[in-house]
Amino acid sequence: MSWFKEERKTSFIRTFCNNVIKAGQIPKHVAIIMDGNRRFAKKVKCERSKGHEKGFEKLTEVLEWCFDLGIPEVTVYAFSIENFKRSKEEVDGLMELATQKFDRLMEEKEMIMKHGVCVRALGDLTMLPEELQRSVARVVKYSQNNTKATLNVCLAYTSRHEISNAVKLMAEGVELGLLKASDISESLLEKCLYTSHSPHPDMLIRTSGEVRFSDFLLWQCSYSSLSFLKVLWPEFSVWDFYGAILSFQWNYKAFKDATESCRIKQTQAELDWELQCVLDEMAGVSVSVSNGNGHMPNTRSAFEQNGTTTEEIPLTNGYHGLQTSIHNVEELITKPCIQQRLETYRELKQSRIDKFLAHLENRQVEYLDRICPKRLETYRESKQVRIGKFLAYLHNRQDEYLERMCPKLCNK
């Protein structure tokens, strides 16, 4: 089955509903836990593989609905690391189905470019069979420069694995000398997640009636609008989808306020931490990550040197700012010597972070090139061209045969 639906006229009621919904705030990023394929198969008394096939068909419909409403990014939970615990027969069937669908998507590359879709695969892809890795890599590499819409497919993914992997990457960066321990922050951790190129989801939909995240985008969905629907994924209708979006619009102000409040707190915490690091450097104290008990090096001398007193030794929880009552902090920050040191510190920190992120990006590019080298891709493209010419040759032979055997009918 094709990933792209044939263009057809939308019903009047659908067009009307789309226009009504577009009058409100449209989510820019929708995350979906596609749950209920196996229960659907049991309900209609068919094989599990048929249930998963129906689930894929439903995904193509939902992508069409998102396109109609102008939703630019969708993330779907296709295969969890926990799913490897299922029977070998079912896992092998899912891997085969995924390979077929990604190969099919590559066959429709003209449509990928027409719609400007960027396809990303999120998860530990090394856990997947090599054939599936190659199929995924081909699509990801081909569509990576598209910007009109984004489809994130989570394969061999869990959020805990994603977060622990991000922590390991930062630790590796410190070990390689690309980062300092003091560079580690929430914002840097976010840049190390699989979803680093995407905004956080505005809304999350889960079908089948289960009311849990199942280890999906735990970090990213902290302030997302949640919709848990009592409908199996293959039976998910456009009206269910409209209802989820209306729920998002109804709660949009609260969602927006919570997100903005979180952003302000995170920014302030990072600014406080940078000031702490600068003062520690001025005091000649080595800056390090908290040892876990909440205490940081004594920076009293740094404050005293700059004519500022403290009522207590600055404390931190490892990142989230100065836990102290410091007099005239605003005056301290506005002092030229402090400003200059703070600016220099930020520039050096940003330079280290940029190099570290470039290192991660190069690793990803190297992985894709290794799994799907250019020579292999060029061979496949030339092979496809040869096959196309051969099929056209057979078609022409058939036409010539019919014209030779029945010229009058052909002329008519």
Side-chain angles (χ1 to χ4, degrees):
M1 181 179 178
S2 172
W3 283 79
F4 299 91
K5 296 284 187 181
E6 294 182 3
E7 294 185 5
R8 58 177 182 271
K9 190 174 181 180
T10 306
S11 66
F12 170 78
I13 186 66
R14 279 276 308 279
T15 301
F16 175 77
C17 290
N18 283 345
N19 290 334
V20 170
I21 289 176
K22 285 180 180 179
Q25 187 68 34
I26 296 296
K28 294 181 175 61
H29 185 184
V30 174
I32 306 174
I33 302 177
M34 306 179 293
D35 193 17
N37 292 338
R38 295 195 296 174
R39 274 169 279 183
F40 173 79
K42 185 177 180 180
K43 178 180 177 180
V44 300
K45 297 179 181 179
C46 68
E47 296 180 0
R48 287 180 176 178
S49 59
K50 295 294 183 183
H52 292 304
E53 183 68 38
K54 287 292 183 182
F56 170 76
E57 292 177 9
K58 181 56 62 177
L59 172 60
T60 62
E61 284 187 61
V62 174
L63 294 178
E64 181 187 19
W65 303 340
C66 291
F67 180 80
D68 290 343
L69 288 173
I71 298 172
E73 185 158 2
V74 177
T75 299
V76 295
Y77 204 3
F79 191 85
S80 165
I81 293 175
E82 297 297 319
N83 293 152
F84 281 113
K85 297 178 181 178
R86 296 181 180 179
S87 67
K88 185 177 184 304
E89 180 183 0
E90 184 175 359
V91 171
D92 289 346
L94 287 169
M95 296 296 104
E96 177 63 27
L97 178 63
T99 303
Q100 291 175 5
K101 298 310 177 184
F102 275 98
D103 287 343
R104 174 66 177 174
L105 184 56
M106 197 59 192
E107 292 173 6
E108 299 178 302
K109 55 187 180 182
E110 292 81 8
M111 296 296 290
I112 293 176
M113 302 309 291
K114 177 182 176 181
H115 293 285
V117 180
C118 174
V119 181
R120 301 189 187 119
L122 311 182
D124 190 349
L125 302 184
T126 60
M127 294 184 176
L128 303 173
E130 285 192 14
E131 185 179 1
L132 177 53
Q133 289 186 52
R134 283 193 292 271
S135 297
V136 170
R138 291 172 63 204
V139 176
V140 170
K141 288 178 66 176
Y142 183 78
S143 66
Q144 61 187 347
N145 295 322
N146 292 340
T147 57
K148 290 183 180 179
T150 302
L151 172 62
N152 302 311
V153 182
C154 294
L155 293 164
Y157 173 93
T158 63
S159 191
R160 286 176 296 176
H161 185 85
E162 177 185 32
I163 295 170
S164 62
N165 180 68
V167 173
K168 289 177 184 176
L169 290 175
M170 291 189 295
E172 180 184 316
V174 174
E175 186 178 347
L176 294 173
L178 297 172
L179 294 173
K180 288 185 177 181
S182 58
D183 296 335
I184 295 174
S185 64
E186 285 184 20
S187 60
L188 179 58
L189 190 146
E190 284 192 6
K191 292 180 175 70
C192 295
L193 297 175
Y194 298 133
T195 56
S196 59
H197 296 292
S198 300
H200 289 183
D202 296 316
M203 60 180 287
L204 179 142
I205 298 172
R206 176 165 189 161
T207 57
S208 83
E210 297 290 344
V211 187
R212 51 193 170 89
F213 283 94
S214 293
D215 215 350
F216 179 59
L217 300 181
L218 301 180
W219 181 284
Q220 297 87 341
C221 288
S222 300
Y223 296 96
S224 301
S225 173
L226 308 177
S227 293
F228 298 102
L229 306 177
K230 293 183 179 180
V231 58
L232 301 178
W233 173 246
E235 297 175 326
F236 183 65
S237 71
V238 70
W239 311 113
D240 297 317
F241 187 57
Y242 287 158
I245 294 179
L246 288 173
S247 176
F248 161 78
Q249 292 178 337
W250 181 262
N251 297 289
Y252 176 71
K253 187 178 185 303
F255 155 75
K256 183 179 179 181
D257 291 345
T259 303
E260 182 64 15
S261 175
C262 175
R263 187 191 65 79
I264 292 172
K265 288 179 181 178
Q266 182 177 337
T267 301
Q268 186 60 49
E270 190 157 350
L271 291 174
D272 290 346
W273 175 245
E274 289 173 347
L275 176 60
Q276 175 79 64
C277 293
V278 168
L279 294 172
D280 284 345
E281 288 179 356
M282 293 175 66
V285 180
S286 61
V287 182
S288 62
V289 178
S290 169
N291 60 10
N293 61 11
H295 293 273
M296 287 300 298
N298 186 346
T299 57
R300 183 188 300 274
S301 59
F303 288 99
E304 292 174 349
Q305 290 171 9
N306 290 279
T308 305
T309 60
T310 62
E311 294 181 356
E312 56 180 298
I313 298 174
L315 301 178
T316 178
N317 58 9
Y319 167 69
H320 287 289
L322 299 169
Q323 305 298 319
T324 183
S325 56
I326 303 174
H327 299 303
N328 303 322
V329 171
E330 292 184 1
E331 292 183 15
L332 179 65
I333 294 176
T334 57
K335 288 189 175 184
C337 63
I338 299 294
Q339 272 192 340
Q340 185 176 1
R341 284 180 174 270
L342 195 56
E343 289 175 7
T344 301
Y345 174 82
R346 287 172 177 167
E347 289 176 1
L348 293 174
K349 174 185 174 182
Q350 191 59 50
S351 176
R352 291 191 298 270
I353 290 175
D354 290 343
K355 289 179 181 178
F356 170 66
L357 296 177
H359 167 70
L360 297 185
E361 191 69 28
N362 289 337
R363 282 179 53 170
Q364 177 69 6
V365 171
E366 289 171 2
Y367 165 76
L368 293 175
D369 288 341
R370 186 174 66 253
I371 293 298
C372 186
K374 285 186 177 181
R375 284 179 296 176
L376 179 61
E377 190 63 26
T378 302
Y379 168 77
R380 283 179 170 163
E381 288 180 357
S382 61
K383 176 184 175 182
Q384 193 61 42
V385 170
R386 292 194 300 271
I387 291 175
K389 289 181 179 179
F390 173 67
L391 294 177
Y393 164 73
L394 294 182
H395 182 73
N396 290 336
R397 280 187 56 177
Q398 181 71 4
D399 289 345
E400 290 173 0
Y401 168 78
L402 292 175
E403 187 174 354
R404 186 173 65 252
M405 296 303 296
C406 192
K408 290 184 180 181
L409 183 60
C410 290
N411 289 334
K412 288 183 181 181

